[in-house]
């Protein structure tokens, strides 16, 4: 499962943060670079969020938009022809598939989830229990729905692949979970690595 987890980290997590470097730098500058006293600013901001219903609602909408951003990124990657090999994770058990997808999604949603943690901590400190319940439930439901949609997208991608009619009606065979790293290397353009490994094994077999 570690090989599958590493593939998902590279395909989704690393690529996502590379593509959105500008977005996060801009966000960091707006949140911490504009104000002269960013710590005091965020303390007052979080206190206003937990104390006011309107502020809390606006914050949850912003969190929701970010979850949609993460979800759209993952779905586009799964449906992309370049990453069709992701359907081969069907060789793994449902638990392993769900676990790997969950890790990838959690890592993508981490920035706003961490900020939610500060809101929850402030709500507990200021004894706004309703705000704690609302934020915790929102993040739990948003993560659960996002992971479920990603899992179903992988399942649907595999079913679409099986329905593709090939010349001579050649059956589509699921790759073994041991061959998934090799399948990823080929699709990722790492032909040199595959060729070198093949000839190395060939030479070893004759020695």
């Amino acid at each position: 499962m570690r090989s599958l987890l590493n593939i998902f980290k590279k395909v989704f997590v690393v690529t996502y943060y590379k593509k959105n470097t500008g977005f996060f730098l801009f966000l960091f500058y707006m949140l911490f670079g504009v104000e002269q006293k960013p710590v005091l600013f965020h303390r007052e901001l979080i206190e206003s969020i937990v104390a006011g219903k309107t502020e809390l609602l606006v914050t949850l909408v912003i969190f929701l938009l970010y979850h949609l951003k993460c979800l759209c990124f993952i779905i586009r990657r799964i449906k992309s022809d370049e990453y069709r090999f992701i359907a081969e994770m069907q060789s793994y058990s449902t638990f392993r598939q769900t676990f790997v997808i969950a890790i990838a999604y959690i890592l993508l949603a981490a920035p706003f989830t961490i900020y939610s943690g500060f809101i929850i901590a402030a709500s507990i400190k200021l004894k706004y229990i309703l705000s704690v319940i609302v934020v915790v439930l929102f993040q739990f439901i948003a993560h659960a729905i996002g992971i479920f949609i990603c899992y179903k997208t992988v399942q649907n991608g595999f079913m679409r692949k099986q329905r593709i009619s090939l010349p001579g009606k050649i059956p589509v065979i699921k790759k073994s979970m041991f061959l998934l790293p090799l399948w990823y290397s080929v699709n990722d353009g790492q032909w040199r690595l595959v060729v070198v490994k093949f000839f190395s094994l060939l030479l070893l077999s004759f020695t």
Side-chain angles (χ1 to χ4, degrees):
M1 185 170 64
R2 182 173 295 180
S3 60
L4 180 62
L5 185 59
N6 290 334
I7 290 172
F8 261 63
K9 284 181 180 179
K10 182 177 181 181
V11 171
F12 294 108
V13 182
V14 176
T15 307
Y16 175 80
Y17 284 107
K18 282 184 178 179
K19 285 181 175 292
N20 291 278
T21 302
F23 167 76
F24 286 109
L25 288 176
F26 173 76
L27 191 64
F28 182 84
Y29 174 76
M30 293 299 296
L31 292 176
F32 298 97
V34 177
E35 295 292 330
Q36 295 181 352
K37 298 179 179 180
V39 176
L40 179 61
F41 167 74
H42 282 280
R43 181 186 300 172
E44 294 176 350
L45 176 62
I46 291 174
E47 288 178 357
S48 66
I49 290 172
V50 301
K53 295 180 180 179
T54 304
E55 290 83 352
L56 181 60
L57 179 61
V58 171
T59 303
L60 294 181
V61 171
I62 294 173
F63 288 168
L64 178 61
L65 292 175
Y66 184 76
H67 276 283
L68 292 175
K69 174 182 174 65
C70 297
L71 189 59
C72 289
F73 175 82
I74 295 177
I75 291 175
R76 282 199 303 266
R77 303 290 274 187
I78 293 174
K79 291 184 176 181
S80 174
D81 291 336
E82 183 182 359
Y83 296 94
R84 192 180 297 174
F85 67 89
I86 293 175
E88 306 304 330
M89 69 182 293
Q90 289 287 326
S91 304
Y92 291 80
S93 64
T94 302
F95 172 77
R96 289 184 175 183
Q97 294 179 50
T98 307
F99 178 78
V100 171
I101 292 172
I103 292 297
Y105 188 88
I106 290 171
L107 290 176
L108 261 62
F112 282 70
T113 306
I114 293 172
Y115 201 84
S116 296
F118 288 111
I119 294 176
I120 293 170
S123 300
I124 295 173
K125 182 179 179 180
L126 298 174
K127 298 182 180 180
Y128 287 100
I129 306 303
L130 181 60
S131 298
V132 175
I133 296 173
V134 170
V135 175
V136 169
L137 282 178
F138 173 84
Q139 287 294 355
F140 177 79
I141 294 172
H143 278 79
I145 292 176
I147 293 167
F148 176 76
I149 292 175
C150 293
Y151 174 78
K152 295 302 292 184
T153 304
V154 172
Q155 303 294 315
N156 295 336
F158 179 73
M159 296 303 295
R160 273 199 314 272
K161 186 176 179 181
Q162 282 191 321
R163 288 197 295 267
I164 296 175
S165 57
L166 298 177
K169 296 182 179 180
I170 300 175
V172 178
I173 302 174
K174 291 196 297 183
K175 273 68 176 177
S176 168
M177 66 179 190
F178 299 106
L179 295 179
L180 185 60
L182 175 62
W183 186 246
Y184 168 73
S185 297
V186 172
N187 280 269
D188 198 41
Q190 300 179 9
W191 284 97
R192 295 181 180 178
L193 176 62
V194 176
V195 173
V196 170
K197 292 294 184 182
F198 173 75
F199 281 104
S200 298
L201 292 174
L202 190 63
L203 290 173
L204 287 174
S205 63
F206 286 101
T207 58

